[in-house]
Amino acid sequence: QVQLVESGGGLVQAGGSLRLSCAASGSISSMNAMRWYRQVPGMQREWVATIGRGGSTDYADSVKGRFTISRDNAKNAVYLQMNSLKPEDTAVYYCNAASWRTWWGQGTQVTVSS
């Protein structure tokens, strides 16, 4: 079983930065992709960023240029560096691992005040 645990969320002022971490119990290098999603209560979960097995990255238009996804295979961790945060970035952020199935973390709350 793969377990994902997010951390690093919190309350930050607009324009500030946060770095989210996702620690995996298994080897993330074996995953086809690692992703970050976010969800606002009452709304559909939204894809934020992807990092593929080969290191390629992709971002949602809403965060492109502000967020950076990265991984550290030695630490079995994936990160989301969030800069220039906006109130509309407020959400619960979830780590996702895709392989023969998908795994989800429990989420970490990010709140951006205006």
Side-chain angles (χ1 to χ4, degrees):
Q1 297 293 320
V2 174
Q3 183 176 354
L4 306 174
V5 180
E6 301 95 334
S7 62
L11 175 64
V12 66
Q13 191 175 102
S17 298
L18 284 173
R19 190 191 193 203
L20 305 184
S21 298
C22 174
S25 63
S27 175
I28 65 171
S29 64
S30 66
M31 301 294 177
N32 290 330
M34 300 293 294
R35 294 181 172 91
W36 285 97
Y37 288 77
R38 65 188 183 187
Q39 187 170 28
V40 177
M43 299 186 67
Q44 186 175 347
R45 190 166 296 185
E46 175 190 23
W47 167 74
V48 174
T50 298
I51 185 164
R53 184 182 295 178
S56 62
T57 59
D58 197 13
Y59 301 91
D61 288 341
S62 60
V63 307
K64 193 171 297 182
R66 300 187 297 120
F67 290 11
T68 303
I69 187 171
S70 62
R71 71 199 306 169
D72 187 334
N73 288 340
K75 295 181 178 179
N76 284 323
V78 62
Y79 308 97
L80 186 68
Q81 178 66 47
M82 306 185 296
N83 298 326
S84 301
L85 283 163
K86 305 174 181 179
E88 49 263 47
D89 295 319
T90 295
V92 177
Y93 283 72
Y94 296 91
C95 182
N96 170 272
S99 183
W100 58 274
R101 58 158 291 180
T102 60
W103 291 267
W104 294 92
Q106 85 289 346
T108 185
Q109 176 71 48
V110 172
T111 303
V112 184
S113 64
S114 59

